[in-house]
Amino acid sequence: MEEKMKGTAAEDALPKMLSGKVKTYVSCINVDYESSRLEDFWDIQLNVRGIPNLQESFKDYIQQETLDGDNKYWAGDEHKYQDARKGVIFTSFPEVLHLHLKRFEYDIQRDTMMKINDRFEFPDRVDLAPYLEKDADKSEPWIYKLHGVLVHSGDLNAGHYYAFLKPNKDGWFYKFDDDKVTKATMRETLEENFGGEYKSSLISPRSTFQKRTPIMRQMNAYMLVYIRESRLDRVLTPVNQEDCPPHLRKHTSL
């Protein structure tokens, strides 16, 4: 697609919409020296295991590591070995942000890949400004609205995929499940895809006084799609008949 867009008004449209920037850095604590590298990203992989929600996972992502003792950082001939902080920080987020939740991990004790069904909450609306570097452009709010939830139901070896999408700025989410498309409530879109244990009210009363193994939800979100709130009108522009190539119009009901 990008190759076909070169030389047209749509050139660089995909990176402008889907790509952000993250800085990897090592910053000395006692001297004025920093080494950093700026990179593009198209999605962000966030940890789920042992983390309660999206905001905490972002904090985990940008958490700093201290380099000291036998692990000091070599800051060149001028500064020699120095105590330093190592980490990553975002400098910008794209208009359409894809978050990959790490639901599949290698279990070293079992020597195999496992699915993580831990409860992980994500909001309908989130402010991402706290995870940007202090010098980032904040003239426009970095508030994002949820518009897509991709779900995996099952275990590592077998499962079913479906999605909840909100195609318009306002209105309903819709559940896309194979050939069926149905309206979805916010509970179906959010709460039922957080993962974790089923509530006790859903467990048989006979097991109330028995020690039981927690029953975990097998269906949970593994990718989230957020759109920057201030860019919603531009990103979700209506598609009209004249926007479709002539050879496709006969296959559409627009």
Side-chain angles (χ1 to χ4, degrees), residues 115-131:
K115 184 181 177 186
I116 309 302
N117 289 312
D118 292 8
R119 183 178 176 86
F120 183 88
E121 300 180 7
F122 48 89
D124 176 52
R125 188 172 183 265
V126 61
D127 184 1
L128 298 182
Y131 317 114

Side-chain angles (χ1 to χ4, degrees), residues 6-235:
K6 288 183 178 179
T8 73
E11 186 170 355
D12 294 329
L14 292 181
K16 285 179 181 178
M17 181 183 291
L18 302 173
S19 178
K21 293 188 180 295
V22 63
K23 182 174 78 172
T24 303
Y25 65 89
V26 179
S27 180
C28 292
I29 296 173
N30 301 312
V31 298
D32 185 18
Y33 182 86
E34 180 178 284
S35 174
S36 64
R37 182 177 71 254
L38 196 63
E39 296 177 299
D40 295 333
F41 70 85
W42 292 73
D43 67 82
I44 303 171
Q45 297 190 19
L46 297 173
N47 288 324
V48 170
R49 183 190 290 274
I51 298 179
N53 56 51
L54 185 67
Q55 293 88 332
E56 291 300 318
S57 193
F58 264 104
K59 290 179 183 178
D60 172 72
Y61 193 96
I62 64 172
Q63 185 176 5
Q64 295 178 329
E65 174 189 356
T66 300
L67 305 178
D68 56 11
D70 294 334
N71 196 31
K72 288 179 182 284
Y73 173 68
W74 175 256
D77 294 334
E78 180 180 357
H79 300 295
K80 310 299 182 183
Y81 286 101
Q82 293 287 334
D83 293 341
R85 296 187 179 94
K86 177 182 178 182
V88 297
I89 191 71
F90 296 99
T91 64
S92 69
F93 294 106
E95 293 179 338
V96 180
L97 177 64
H98 289 80
L99 303 178
H100 174 206
L101 307 183
K102 295 167 69 174
R103 286 285 183 187
F104 303 96
E105 288 186 357
Y106 176 72
D107 189 318
I108 192 170
Q109 294 182 336
R110 302 183 183 183
D111 189 25
T112 187
M113 293 292 292
M114 298 290 293
K115 184 181 177 186
I116 309 302
N117 289 312
D118 292 8
R119 183 178 176 86
F120 183 88
E121 300 180 7
F122 48 89
D124 176 52
R125 188 172 183 265
V126 61
D127 184 1
L128 298 182
Y131 317 114
L132 288 165
E133 68 173 352
K134 60 181 180 180
D135 296 328
D137 180 6
K138 298 180 182 178
S139 58
E140 185 180 331
W142 291 95
I143 295 174
Y144 282 73
K145 290 281 290 181
L146 183 69
H147 276 262
V149 180
L150 281 65
V151 179
H152 177 267
S153 176
D155 58 24
L156 180 70
N157 300 310
H160 179 60
Y161 294 87
Y162 51 94
F164 294 85
L165 303 177
K166 186 178 181 181
N168 300 309
K169 180 178 178 179
D170 301 305
W172 291 83
F173 272 91
Y174 291 85
K175 182 180 180 181
F176 290 76
D177 189 352
D178 290 338
D179 61 342
K180 297 179 182 179
V181 180
T182 55
K183 284 184 177 180
T185 65
M186 289 305 296
R187 177 180 176 81
E188 290 174 308
T189 304
L190 297 174
E191 173 70 29
E192 293 187 7
N193 297 309
F194 288 162
E197 294 184 38
Y198 279 101
K199 291 184 178 179
S200 57
S201 60
L202 300 177
I203 306 300
S204 171
R206 290 181 298 177
S207 62
T208 302
F209 301 103
Q210 300 175 1
K211 186 176 180 180
R212 62 178 181 83
T213 302
I215 299 177
M216 306 295 285
R217 290 181 182 269
Q218 291 286 304
M219 73 290 286
N220 36 60
Y222 74 95
M223 182 166 281
L224 308 173
V225 182
Y226 283 88
I227 302 178
R228 195 173 182 181
E229 193 171 56
S230 59
R231 308 291 178 88
L232 278 169
D233 290 330
R234 185 164 74 184
V235 172

